[in-house]
Amino acid sequence: MKINIALVISIIIAVGLVAFGFTAFQISSEREQLNSELQVKTIRVAEEFYKNNLAHLATDDSTQIQITDSAIGRYNFLGMAAYYHADSIITINKETATYLPHSTDYIARALSADSSLSNKINVNGKKVYQYIRLVKRQNLPAMAIVFYTDAEYIENIINSIWLRNFLRWFLQALVISVVTLLIVRWGILNPLNKVIEWVKAARTGNIEQWKTKPRNTFLAPLYREISGIAQAMQEAKAIAQEEARLRTSAESIWTPERLNEEMKQVLQNKKLIVVSNREPYMHIRAGKEIQCIRPASGMVTALEPILKACGGLWIASGSGDADRDTVDENDKVLVPPSEGKYTLRRVWLTKEEENHFYYGFSNEGLWPLCHIAHTRPTFRIEDWEYYKKVNAIYAEAVVKEIKDEEEPFILVQDYHFALLPFLIKQQRPDAKVALFWHIPWPNPESFGICPWQKELLNGMLGADLIGFHTQYHCNNFLETVNDSLESRVLWENFSVKIGNHFTLVKPFPISIAFTFKDYDSNGEIRPSPQELLKQHGINAEYMAVGVERIDYTKGLIEKCLSVERFLDKNPEYLGKFTLVQIGAVSRALLKTYSDTVSAVEAEINRINWKFKAKNWQPILFLKKHHSHEEITPFYRSANLCMVTSLHDGMNLVAKEFIAARDHNDGVLVLSRFAGASQELHGALIVNPYDIEQTADAIKTALEMPIEQQTQKMKRLRRMIMNHNVYSWAADILRAMASIQN
Ligand code: G6P
């Protein structure tokens, strides 16, 4: 409203000033013209009158003038006077007497100038024109005849000009104001108000209104600019809100410290023992030195941070060639080496035991049985006997460790120890025993081919709690139990009852040690894929990374084939894209594994040979054990990570890659057959058997806009932070604590 009033006033003033200027100019020239016309006319008529009626004055000395009022009226004079000298003035009519006092000075000036003069005088507010005609007389002083004529009409004309121009100004100002107001209202204010409403919607987060963008071509550039700013504001606001939310919820995110506190509450001074076949630290000989390495194992990756945070005892097989040299008399060593946060108790297996228990039954029997990866399981009776024996050895070791402990918490890991829960509970029914199965559980028909499935299931069901990564694996397990054991499967609470013993079967998707501090860390400088590849003699712009134990379940051949297909389909990436495949040799004594190594190498050689160019190859195979610190630069710099497992319980490589992406970019290509695919919404999910699809996913990942990558990666990182391994441990320990023996 204010702007309208101001606008109208401005228009009125502007138009008024222009109109006034023009009118003043017009009037001044009009007045000049009228005055000069009046002068010319008055002089002409007066001269004529003089000639007709007064010419005799120049020659006689009479002071008598015979002129009547009506005579001067005919000549349109208002009055007339004959001025001989100040005391002798003859006036014609009454008006003349009124005018004369205003003329005397001027008459005197004409007489002394000896010249006729004319000008305008003001008589009581009335404009009168006077012409003073000098009459030169012989032998007599000059006299003057004064003619008065009406000049008022000039003022009337001037006034009417003023009036006309005022009216014109008023009308112009009115019309211009109305038109301007309409233009301002419909052409500017309305669209502007729409933009304001729209910006307000953006500010207040009214997404619906924000989405309906105002249409206006005149304000389009403004809209585009504001749109950009608003978009940036929205994003900044969303990020700020998210950051604030995360900050306030940071306390609810599980950290080592929080888990430590929680454990004190949950355990109530009871002992926590972790049992696994693979040890978290292996001491190995490297020349004269003894090195301590962390083996490539998802199970170790997950469990180690928990023990580090809370202390406790971890019982595992000593498999490093310098392991015996580093333990005390009780076969214990404090680890991690320089920190000594918890105790590792090593169990020594003989070569035969290792051969039949670990390589045989565990890895040639149960591993392929549980992974549907088209490698036949092999079941041998000797292996089974050793499996039972080693489980018993471990049971003894555990029981020995808990002999003075009341209601200890025993967390048994993986398929190597299916019988252990029952064996422990048999001797120590008060112990709370959980078994976490890190690999998939197949359907009942697949599992049913195992000759000792009942013994295995009974052994497992000795536990109070059995955990899998996914509900799907829990269901498969419960169905297997249902089909093969005399038991009651209580589907309503996912538990199994055998005699008086209940076993709860629950999913606990395992994770990694990733907390708010890791999430919040600003991306530190990292090498580009190009720089990293250059260190390996390869010149390429884009890099994918794969990190696996060399295992037939990991889909390594399929991964290589999809890289080949990607390059076949997209030759523009030849010489530009390289997959760095980090592969730790695993279970190498088994033929299926050594065959896998050879097959993968042969495939990589074939593909590299097919495409090889100077300083470039499509696949760089780094076949050796890599520490976490050695792998991290590849995770951080790669454009994408490829996890192509044919079957996998969870797959923590996928989560480690995400954790390493502190720049919030990069893409994860993830097999739908890995448990992680259930959680990691934002990854590009592929069927690794579908080479075409995986090849296309590489392209999609490489060409994904950075905003999209960031959006997905942030979501993935939040998800992992909210479900880290500390929350996993808290969940599982709380579940154990809630079980009444
Ligand atoms: C999988 C299993 C782990 C095992 C790891 C490495 O992740 O679930 O229990 O430790 O493979 O296998 P390895 O035979 O070397 O221990």
Side-chain angles (χ1 to χ4, degrees):
M1 198 61 202
K2 268 185 194 159
I3 184 173
N4 289 349
I5 293 170
L7 210 63
V8 169
I9 291 174
S10 309
I11 289 168
I12 290 171
I13 291 173
V15 176
L17 283 175
V18 173
F20 180 81
F22 275 111
T23 310
F25 176 74
Q26 186 189 353
I27 280 170
S28 119
S29 53
E30 192 81 5
R31 189 191 292 278
E32 210 172 300
Q33 197 182 332
L34 287 171
N35 283 343
S36 84
E37 277 173 15
L38 179 63
Q39 182 185 28
V40 170
K41 195 176 129 205
T42 307
I43 293 172
R44 185 174 46 76
V45 175
E47 286 303 329
E48 196 182 317
F49 185 90
Y50 175 79
K51 205 162 83 195
N52 295 342
N53 303 298
L54 300 171
H56 62 92
L57 291 178
T59 50
D60 65 36
D61 57 357
S62 145
T63 53
Q64 294 300 308
I65 293 173
Q66 298 300 322
I67 303 239
T68 59
D69 208 359
S70 60
I72 60 165
R74 277 200 306 278
Y75 284 83
N76 272 337
F77 290 123
L78 294 176
M80 203 199 85
Y83 182 99
Y84 293 92
H85 54 84
D87 301 325
S88 173
I89 302 169
I90 299 165
T91 56
I92 301 304
N93 55 14
K94 208 162 79 208
E95 277 79 9
T96 308
T98 338
Y99 306 148
L100 204 57
H102 299 274
S103 306
T104 44
D105 286 352
Y106 208 61
I107 294 168
R109 212 186 299 168
L111 288 172
S112 66
D114 195 23
S115 156
S116 298
L117 289 178
S118 67
N119 74 341
K120 228 190 307 179
I121 53 170
N122 198 339
V123 183
N124 304 330
K126 189 179 170 185
K127 298 279 183 209
V128 174
Y129 196 79
Q130 63 177 355
Y131 174 53
I132 298 162
R133 170 73 162 87
L134 209 71
V135 180
K136 292 182 183 166
R137 295 186 296 171
Q138 283 173 356
N139 307 321
L140 285 170
M143 66 169 293
I145 308 291
V146 187
F147 296 93
Y148 295 105
T149 181
D150 183 16
E152 192 63 22
Y153 75 96
I154 293 180
E155 291 313 308
N156 292 341
I157 291 172
I158 296 299
N159 286 342
S160 78
I161 291 174
W162 272 120
L163 185 68
R164 254 198 337 271
N165 281 6
F166 172 79
L167 284 174
R168 190 182 301 151
W169 160 73
F170 178 77
L171 279 174
Q172 273 175 351
L174 188 72
V175 170
I176 293 174
S177 297
V178 169
V179 170
T180 309
L181 283 180
L182 287 177
I183 290 172
V184 166
R185 175 148 200 148
W186 301 112
I188 299 174
L189 287 182
N190 272 6
L192 212 55
N193 282 338
K194 276 188 193 144
V195 172
I196 289 167
E197 285 302 311
W198 174 78
V199 172
K200 208 186 278 173
R203 182 171 56 77
T204 55
N206 185 340
I207 300 299
E208 279 313 301
Q209 199 179 344
W210 163 249
K211 276 186 192 158
T212 50
K213 295 166 185 170
R215 271 176 296 147
N216 194 291
T217 47
F218 140 73
L219 286 175
L222 176 68
Y223 161 71
R224 265 199 303 280
E225 280 305 311
I226 294 177
S227 185
I229 295 169
Q231 188 82 36
M233 269 169 56
Q234 281 283 323
E235 276 167 19
K237 193 174 161 189
I239 290 170
Q241 276 173 349
E242 183 60 13
E243 295 294 321
R245 195 184 63 73
L246 287 174
R247 249 168 251 287
T248 47
S249 68
E251 277 143 41
S252 69
I253 286 163
W254 284 91
T255 59
E257 298 73 30
R258 184 171 169 210
L259 179 66
N260 196 321
E261 283 306 308
E262 180 73 11
M263 293 269 270
K264 285 181 196 153
Q265 298 292 318
V266 171
L267 295 180
Q268 301 281 340
N269 288 329
K270 285 160 197 153
K271 192 161 185 168
L272 171 70
I273 297 182
V274 170
V275 187
S276 72
N277 173 65
R278 181 59 66 196
E279 58 181 338
Y281 289 94
M282 276 168 91
H283 287 94
I284 53 165
R285 254 172 240 293
K288 285 187 182 159
E289 304 258 291
I290 291 179
Q291 275 182 2
C292 185
I293 61 159
R294 284 249 315 260
S297 158
M299 182 274 298
V300 170
T301 302
L303 269 290
E304 218 267 332
I306 298 168
L307 270 284
K308 245 171 107 173
C310 308
L313 177 70
W314 188 328
I315 303 177
S317 299
S319 51
D321 57 9
D323 273 356
R324 282 182 192 269
D325 303 322
T326 46
V327 291
D328 63 14
E329 63 283 7
N330 297 315
D331 300 321
K332 290 180 179 168
V333 57
L334 276 176
V335 284
S338 50
E339 297 167 72
K341 291 275 175 66
Y342 63 96
T343 305
L344 170 62
R345 153 85 206 274
R346 284 174 174 146
V347 172
W348 312 112
L349 300 180
T350 64
K351 278 228 164 341
E352 288 72 35
E353 285 165 352
E354 189 184 358
N355 195 18
H356 293 287
F357 154 76
Y358 171 70
Y359 287 107
F361 195 76
S362 298
N363 287 317
E364 287 194 291
L366 288 178
W367 179 269
L369 178 71
C370 291
H371 289 91
I372 312 296
H374 313 287
T375 294
R376 268 179 78 137
T378 304
F379 297 111
R380 301 180 201 96
I381 184 77
E382 320 87 272
D383 292 346
W384 170 240
E385 292 304 333
Y386 273 99
Y387 187 81
K388 287 195 285 184
K389 186 179 172 202
V390 172
N391 270 255
I393 291 171
Y394 268 83
E396 198 187 315
V398 171
V399 169
K400 190 176 157 203
E401 291 296 337
I402 59 173
K403 74 174 186 313
D404 299 325
E405 307 288 334
E406 263 179 46
E407 296 183 7
F409 281 56
I410 321 285
L411 205 45
V412 179
Q413 305 302 313
D414 237 346
Y415 58 99
H416 311 88
F417 295 118
L419 306 178
L420 191 54
F422 180 82
L423 295 172
I424 296 171
K425 286 292 263 194
Q426 211 179 23
Q427 299 174 64
R428 288 294 302 269
D430 65 315
K432 291 187 188 296
V433 179
L435 169 64
F436 192 81
W437 200 261
H438 289 260
I439 62 175
W441 190 276
N443 60 53
E445 295 75 28
S446 298
F447 197 80
I449 67 170
C450 175
W452 301 287
Q453 70 156 331
K454 284 192 180 170
E455 289 87 336
L456 288 168
L457 292 173
N458 275 318
M460 292 171 78
L461 289 166
D464 302 298
L465 175 70
I466 298 178
F468 293 94
H469 292 300
T470 68
Q471 184 64 52
Y472 182 64
H473 296 155
C474 294
N475 293 353
N476 278 349
F477 175 77
L478 290 169
E479 278 166 17
T480 309
V481 172
N482 205 27
D483 286 5
S484 51
L485 287 190
E486 291 283 317
S487 61
R488 265 183 68 204
V489 173
L490 306 167
W491 287 101
E492 61 276 18
N493 61 358
F494 296 101
S495 63
V496 180
K497 186 176 183 226
I498 298 183
N500 285 329
H501 181 71
F502 282 92
T503 303
L504 187 61
V505 179
K506 270 192 74 170
F508 296 95
I510 209 161
S511 195
I512 54 170
F514 185 67
T515 61
F516 185 72
K517 153 172 79 59
D518 308 306
Y519 176 86
D520 211 21
S521 71
N522 288 326
E524 282 170 21
I525 295 168
R526 59 179 175 182
S528 68
Q530 209 159 12
E531 287 162 345
L532 206 54
L533 287 167
K534 204 161 247 164
Q535 294 168 14
H536 296 270
I538 293 175
N539 196 1
E541 210 174 311
Y542 304 105
M543 179 174 84
V545 66
V547 181
E548 271 96 14
R549 282 181 309 103
I550 306 174
D551 191 306
Y552 51 84
T553 60
K554 301 295 181 186
L556 287 161
I557 302 274
E558 287 75 6
K559 194 189 292 190
C560 295
L561 291 175
S562 52
V563 167
E564 179 187 20
R565 185 71 190 121
F566 162 70
L567 292 171
D568 277 336
K569 287 176 87 172
N570 305 286
E572 68 274 18
Y573 281 99
L574 285 172
K576 290 188 178 164
F577 168 86
T578 294
L579 162 70
V580 176
Q581 180 59 55
I582 294 173
V585 175
S586 169
R587 305 168 194 171
L589 294 186
L590 296 179
K591 189 172 177 322
T592 43
Y593 281 81
S594 52
D595 284 352
T596 305
V597 175
S598 312
V600 170
E601 276 181 322
E603 206 55 36
I604 290 174
N605 288 339
R606 181 187 66 75
I607 295 167
N608 279 346
W609 187 82
K610 174 175 167 181
F611 293 110
K612 198 167 164 34
K614 196 168 170 252
N615 298 331
W616 176 75
Q617 63 193 63
I619 305 175
L620 173 67
F621 191 29
L622 301 177
K623 193 186 77 177
K624 82 170 186 68
H625 176 273
H626 285 69
S627 68
H628 186 67
E629 291 65 35
E630 288 170 316
I631 297 170
T632 304
F634 291 96
Y635 278 151
R636 294 186 74 226
S637 296
N639 301 94
L640 66 143
C641 175
M642 295 182 73
V643 175
T644 52
S645 311
L646 304 180
H647 206 186
D648 218 330
M650 170 56 72
N651 194 294
L652 291 184
V653 165
K655 293 189 176 181
E656 288 197 309
F657 169 70
I658 291 164
R661 303 306 296 199
D662 49 3
H663 287 252
N664 290 311
D665 60 355
V667 181
L668 173 65
V669 174
L670 176 61
S671 163
R672 55 183 273 212
F673 304 122
S677 68
Q678 310 274 311
E679 285 183 283
L680 299 181
H681 309 295
L684 291 182
I685 303 296
V686 294
N687 169 3
Y689 292 97
D690 186 342
I691 304 300
E692 207 68 19
Q693 189 193 40
T694 313
D696 290 346
I698 297 174
K699 184 169 162 49
T700 307
L702 288 175
E703 293 174 8
M704 188 180 285
I706 187 70
E707 302 76 35
Q708 210 176 328
Q709 291 185 27
T710 305
Q711 188 198 5
K712 286 174 187 289
M713 192 51 77
K714 280 191 167 174
R715 184 162 158 211
L716 287 166
R717 285 167 69 77
R718 277 198 298 274
M719 185 267 147
I720 296 181
M721 176 176 61
N722 289 326
H723 302 280
N724 60 22
V725 79
Y726 303 112
S727 68
W728 177 87
D731 282 351
I732 216 162
L733 288 166
R734 280 171 178 171
M736 284 171 84
S738 68
I739 287 163
Q740 301 300 319
N741 285 316

